[in-house]
Amino acid sequence: QTQLAESGGGLVEPGGALRLSCAISGSTPDHYVISWFRQAAGKKREGVSCINSVTGNGASTSYSDAVKGRFRTLRDYAKNTVELEMKSKKPEDTGVYSCAAAASKSHCASGYYTYDYETWGRGPQVTVSS
């Protein structure tokens, strides 16, 4: 089965940058998407970003309104990772970040966070504070 392992996280000041990595191992389907989620203390888990496994014209990404323009997700096929680059960090970005894989989807639509994600990593804590 597919296995995901997040790395990165830590403490960053407001306005700073941080990068998370999601390493993919084990068996993988031909088509799937990898999404980042986050959950702040006492809050519901929310979608952050989505990226699919298709290159060329079929490639797609999607972002939540809260992070658009500040976060970027990309795939590194050589390293078999999905990255989440976070800039202009805000205190409300604080939370536990996890990556998840959905084999049932091959495209990142705006409602990517509603997909059935069969595989989840256990991500690091990201704290944004002075």
Side-chain angles (χ1 to χ4, degrees):
Q1 61 177 356
T2 303
Q3 294 179 308
L4 306 177
E6 301 93 338
S7 62
L11 176 65
V12 64
E13 295 185 353
L18 201 63
R19 182 168 180 161
L20 304 178
S21 294
C22 177
I24 307 169
S25 62
S27 62
T28 56
D30 292 336
H31 302 286
Y32 60 96
V33 304
I34 299 290
S35 295
W36 285 95
F37 292 83
R38 68 185 183 186
Q39 186 170 20
K43 303 294 184 180
K44 294 182 177 180
R45 184 176 62 207
E46 62 175 333
V48 176
S49 67
C50 176
I51 188 168
N52 70 352
S53 61
V54 179
T55 59
N57 293 334
S60 66
T61 57
S62 187
Y63 299 90
S64 68
D65 291 338
V67 307
K68 284 182 178 178
R70 300 188 298 116
F71 291 10
R72 181 173 70 123
T73 186
L74 65 155
R75 299 190 68 110
D76 188 330
Y77 287 98
K79 298 180 179 179
N80 202 22
T81 61
V82 173
E83 311 291 322
L84 181 66
E85 297 178 338
M86 303 177 287
K87 300 188 297 183
S88 302
K89 296 285 291 184
K90 302 177 180 179
E92 52 263 42
D93 293 325
T94 295
V96 175
Y97 284 68
S98 301
C99 59
S104 60
K105 299 292 182 179
S106 60
H107 177 76
C108 292
S110 59
Y112 67 91
Y113 54 90
T114 66
Y115 296 169
D116 290 330
Y117 290 90
E118 300 90 355
T119 303
W120 290 82
R122 190 171 66 182
Q125 172 75 31
V126 174
T127 302
V128 184
S129 65
S130 299

